Amino acid sequence: MAEELTPISNDDVVWMEEPEMGFWESTFLPAIFSGLKNSLRHVTDFKPVTQQYPEEKPDLPLNYRGVHRLNRDDKGRVKCVACMMCSTACPARCIDIVAEEAPKDDPLWADRDKRPKSFVIDELKCIYCGMCEEACPVDSIELTHIYDLTGLTRQEMKFNKEKLLEVFDQTKDNPRDPIRTHRGILGPASDFTSLPQVGPATQIPQGDKASEPVSTDVIKQG
Amino acid sequence: MSWEFFLVTLITIGVAFGGLMGTIAYLILVERRLAAFIQDRYGPNRVGWAGLLQPIADGAKFLLKEDVIPGYVNKTLYILGPSIAVFTAMAGFAIVPFGPVDQAPSWMRFVIAPDVNIGMIYIFCVGSLGVYGVILGGWASNNKYSSLGSMRASAQVVSYEIPLGMSIIGVVLMTSSLSLNDILMHQANQGVLGWNVWTQPLALLIFFVSALAETNRLPFDLSECEQELVGGFHTEYSSMKFALYFLGEYAHIITVCFLTAILFFGGWQFPLIAEADSAYLGATLVKVVVLLTKVLMIILLIMFIRWTIPRFRFDQLMNLAWLGLIPMAAMNILVVMTAKQFDWPIWTLPLGSLAIFVAAGLIGTSGKFIVSDQTVDFSESPEGYVHVHS
């Protein structure tokens, strides 16, 4: 009967029985006293784990994802090139960008083609997943360590470009939110001319096209 | 009955009632802080220095909150429930002496109702009436969790009433009186070795366990276990009505702790500083302080037990009362009666308690062999506990 019910062989099944209770165990008293001693030890040797929040600030991990900021480049312009990658990547659809052409006659913007006219993030809709940060090709949008974000209205929680740049100005000197890249220095990913050959992580049946190495033609040489 | 008697009674009631209310408010704070310490937290420490104004803030909140009476409840019984709970708890305290009754000052007494010579019976009667508040509240709430909670409470109180009463009979036999003050004086006159805790340790154990069950304290708070019953019998109660239930519960606990201190730990008697014949200046005050300290110790013990022992299952609760405490209490009565009848020396009583305890433990241990005499073939039972070897 047990064979029908269990999907494993009978040899692998061990039938357990309750251990017998001894005299002292069945009187409960030793267990109660050792428990009381344990409780008392927590009072006499009081080591609280609580953080007294407003006075003590939490020590957040370095990859904490808080309020967004829009980075400035070396000339103080907004780094964003209005490519819409972040708003496309955003699973919560909380980023709204309107792009405009950079004014070519202005010497400050001479080397730029496109910039955001408006850049609004709804901080209430955002799920703080960090996908925008991952998607941004110019490291413009970043998540900071600010976690105590409050507001009285929904409108107040929609951060526009000026507000997001202000967050950058506030956080750029904080060692926890450093400016990670500077204009002209590209990340290590730009050095690849060919993708490394990646072996299969799991066993893959013969003839599966996904297991074959990626062709070098995918990346344009030079 | 002169008007002085009336005035003194009023003052006594005022002192006892005010003291009780203040104590309850601060006991709740003590319990919350202690619970926090045991769980490695701080607890309420924001209102006032170290949270000392927290009870006042809580009281103000209870008074100012909206008093919701759901539309589907039986309104009369719904309001009657918390009233009975708090009334019976207060009425039970009326005959508890909270100081040396004989040496009271002229302007107040140390017991609200003096000369009640059936004190023990009165306390048990009024105390067990308290469960009416729980049952009425649970029933009138028209909510299945509330009524489940109150059903549990009624079964529990009915069961634990018996060992609670039986454990006291030994003490009453030793003193030949039901009056609390007589029992106290009987112990005080014999000094520290005359405390009933030495002669009747088993009765103390049974009394204390049953008292925890009577007051619905952990590990016996099945009538309000949050995991199963939302809030238990007071699920539908809010603001001041909920506070009244809480008040009643804590007043009951204080009464029970006074009883434990008076019946088993000699009341206000303490070697050297508070003997029965000590009459130095301020002796009365010292005796009151000694009694209150003993009560506080017992309350702290109850709080420690709350955060130490997990809640019983309902069948375990019933087994403990009917298979454990009641037979032990009956045997204890037998031992005390025999010792008294044949004038056995006093040291035979603790030996008798120990013998009953050992016998109960041995029966509990060896009873397993009797029950599981026939071998059960577990491989035939699909419900058996399966452990999978990798």
Side-chain angles (χ1 to χ4, degrees):
Chain A
M1 187 164 174
E3 241 171 313
E4 292 163 26
L5 287 163
T6 49
I8 51 174
S9 82
N10 258 346
D11 303 335
D12 291 338
V13 178
V14 178
W15 298 95
M16 306 276 287
E17 273 182 72
E18 249 181 82
E20 292 283 346
M21 289 233 283
F23 170 75
W24 283 111
E25 271 181 312
S26 62
T27 61
F28 293 113
L29 288 185
I32 289 173
F33 279 116
S34 74
L36 282 175
K37 214 170 76 187
N38 193 15
S39 298
L40 196 66
R41 190 171 51 78
H42 278 267
V43 176
T44 50
D45 188 19
F46 179 47
K47 285 198 194 81
V49 294
T50 317
Q51 275 178 336
Q52 302 275 312
Y53 167 62
E55 291 94 38
E56 280 173 43
K57 300 289 186 197
D59 193 16
L60 296 171
L62 277 173
N63 54 356
Y64 184 83
R65 300 192 295 265
V67 175
H68 313 75
R69 72 180 186 193
L70 267 184
N71 290 353
R72 291 180 194 275
D73 61 10
D74 295 344
K75 294 181 184 168
R77 305 170 301 187
V78 61
K79 247 182 188 178
C80 176
V81 293
C83 67
M84 311 282 177
M85 295 269 268
C86 51
S87 70
T88 311
C90 181
R93 314 230 162 182
C94 63
I95 307 178
D96 181 59
I97 307 172
V98 177
E100 69 174 357
E101 208 174 321
K104 284 290 177 192
D105 46 344
D106 187 346
L108 185 65
W109 291 93
D111 56 340
R112 290 274 298 269
D113 296 331
K114 209 177 164 195
R115 66 175 189 185
K117 187 180 178 190
S118 89
F119 192 108
V120 180
I121 299 181
D122 191 338
E123 299 285 343
L124 291 179
K125 266 192 195 167
C126 177
I127 59 172
Y128 300 94
C129 63
M131 298 277 255
C132 47
E133 208 177 15
E134 298 282 333
C136 185
V138 292
D139 290 325
S140 171
I141 188 165
E142 273 175 1
L143 298 181
T144 63
H145 278 81
I146 299 174
Y147 53 86
D148 47 353
L149 180 66
T150 52
L152 295 175
T153 58
R154 287 176 191 279
Q155 202 54 43
E156 210 176 300
M157 301 298 276
K158 284 184 178 161
F159 280 21
N160 58 11
K161 190 169 75 180
E162 285 70 36
K163 178 89 182 167
L164 289 165
L165 287 168
E166 198 181 295
V167 177
F168 171 79
D169 293 337
Q170 280 174 20
T171 56
K172 66 180 177 190
D173 296 327
N174 187 339
R176 287 192 164 271
D177 294 313
I179 304 169
R180 287 176 195 134
T181 57
H182 294 273
R183 190 173 161 77
I185 304 164
L186 291 173
S190 63
D191 294 337
F192 287 129
T193 52
S194 64
L195 282 182
Q197 196 168 317
V198 182
T202 50
Q203 278 209 327
I204 290 164
Q206 288 262 314
D208 188 344
K209 281 197 173 175
S211 70
E212 286 164 17
V214 184
S215 134
T216 46
D217 300 338
V218 172
I219 294 176
K220 210 174 169 182
Q221 298 283 334
Chain B
M1 294 273 169
S2 59
W3 66 271
E4 281 113 335
F5 183 85
F6 186 67
L7 198 66
V8 165
T9 306
L10 273 187
I11 291 173
T12 312
I13 289 177
V15 167
F17 186 76
L20 205 58
M21 290 295 112
T23 315
I24 289 170
Y26 276 90
L27 273 186
I28 292 172
L29 176 69
V30 167
E31 167 138 39
R32 289 175 67 186
R33 292 282 284 183
L34 197 66
F37 288 162
I38 292 172
Q39 296 165 1
D40 291 342
R41 307 181 276 117
Y42 285 102
N45 63 350
R46 296 274 151 176
V47 192
W49 183 77
L52 279 180
L53 295 179
Q54 184 74 35
I56 294 160
D58 282 346
K61 187 196 76 176
F62 274 131
L63 281 171
L64 296 174
K65 264 181 105 170
E66 186 191 357
D67 194 1
V68 182
I69 299 183
Y72 45 79
V73 301
N74 185 336
K75 213 170 161 186
T76 320
L77 297 183
Y78 182 81
I79 296 171
L80 205 58
S83 324
I84 289 183
V86 83
F87 167 75
T88 51
M90 295 295 156
F93 196 75
I95 62 141
V96 175
F98 46 91
V101 174
D102 304 333
Q103 294 157 328
S106 58
W107 47 273
M108 76 170 277
R109 290 189 305 266
F110 282 128
V111 56
I112 295 172
D115 309 328
V116 180
N117 51 14
I118 54 157
M120 292 311 307
I121 294 180
Y122 171 84
I123 281 202
F124 287 148
C125 288
V126 174
S128 49
L129 273 182
V131 79
Y132 271 88
V134 172
I135 293 173
L136 283 182
W139 173 255
S141 292
N142 209 351
N143 171 334
K144 63 182 168 191
Y145 293 119
S146 301
S147 34
L148 273 174
S150 52
M151 292 316 284
R152 286 181 176 194
S154 57
Q156 184 180 326
V157 169
V158 165
S159 301
Y160 277 86
E161 207 58 354
I162 301 166
L164 189 72
M166 282 171 94
S167 61
I168 288 308
I169 292 181
V171 177
V172 171
L173 280 174
M174 298 286 293
T175 322
S176 312
S177 168
L178 280 164
S179 160
L180 278 176
N181 198 42
D182 288 356
I183 296 174
L184 199 162
M185 288 312 291
H186 181 79
Q187 298 174 67
N189 287 332
Q190 294 178 48
V192 69
L193 287 175
W195 291 3
N196 282 327
V197 63
W198 311 122
T199 51
Q200 313 248 351
L202 188 65
L204 169 67
L205 188 71
I206 298 169
F207 178 82
F208 194 64
V209 172
S210 313
L212 286 180
E214 276 281 300
T215 51
N216 287 329
R217 281 293 287 193
L218 265 147
F220 304 109
D221 69 334
L222 280 108
S223 58
E224 47 190 301
C225 56
E226 297 85 1
Q227 292 88 345
E228 298 159 24
L229 298 177
V230 188
F233 61 89
H234 54 61
T235 306
E236 301 286 343
Y237 284 90
S238 56
S239 77
M240 207 56 213
K241 293 203 188 66
F242 172 76
L244 282 183
Y245 266 127
F246 231 78
L247 217 67
E249 199 187 309
Y250 266 87
H252 211 142
I253 290 166
I254 292 178
T255 310
V256 157
C257 291
F258 263 103
L259 281 187
T260 314
I262 289 169
L263 292 177
F264 292 100
F265 292 97
W268 42 257
Q269 199 271 334
F270 198 82
L272 299 179
I273 57 165
E275 296 284 5
D277 52 357
S278 58
Y280 58 90
L281 189 70
T284 313
L285 190 66
V286 168
K287 284 173 181 175
V288 173
V289 169
V290 165
L291 177 59
L292 294 184
T293 313
K294 283 177 183 174
V295 170
L296 183 69
M297 289 296 144
I298 298 165
I299 292 175
L300 286 179
L301 176 66
I302 288 181
M303 286 175 182
F304 265 102
I305 285 174
R306 171 171 183 183
W307 299 106
T308 301
I309 307 173
R311 186 183 292 125
F312 275 63
R313 218 167 52 210
F314 201 73
D315 60 320
Q316 293 171 332
L317 179 87
M318 286 295 152
N319 278 349
L320 182 66
W322 292 97
L323 303 180
L325 297 183
I326 293 179
M328 274 157 81
M331 288 308 293
N332 190 43
I333 293 174
L334 194 69
V335 166
V336 176
M337 279 175 161
T338 315
K340 206 167 159 64
Q341 177 68 29
F342 296 108
D343 276 332
W344 288 353
I346 202 84
W347 50 265
T348 52
L349 284 173
L351 284 185
S353 283
L354 189 70
I356 298 167
F357 188 75
V358 169
L362 286 177
I363 291 170
T365 319
S366 56
K368 269 206 144 19
F369 299 121
I370 300 164
V371 173
S372 62
D373 199 12
Q374 75 270 34
T375 47
V376 184
D377 190 359
F378 278 100
S379 60
E380 286 298 315
S381 88
E383 293 87 11
Y385 188 78
V386 185
H387 179 76
V388 182
H389 242 355
S390 59

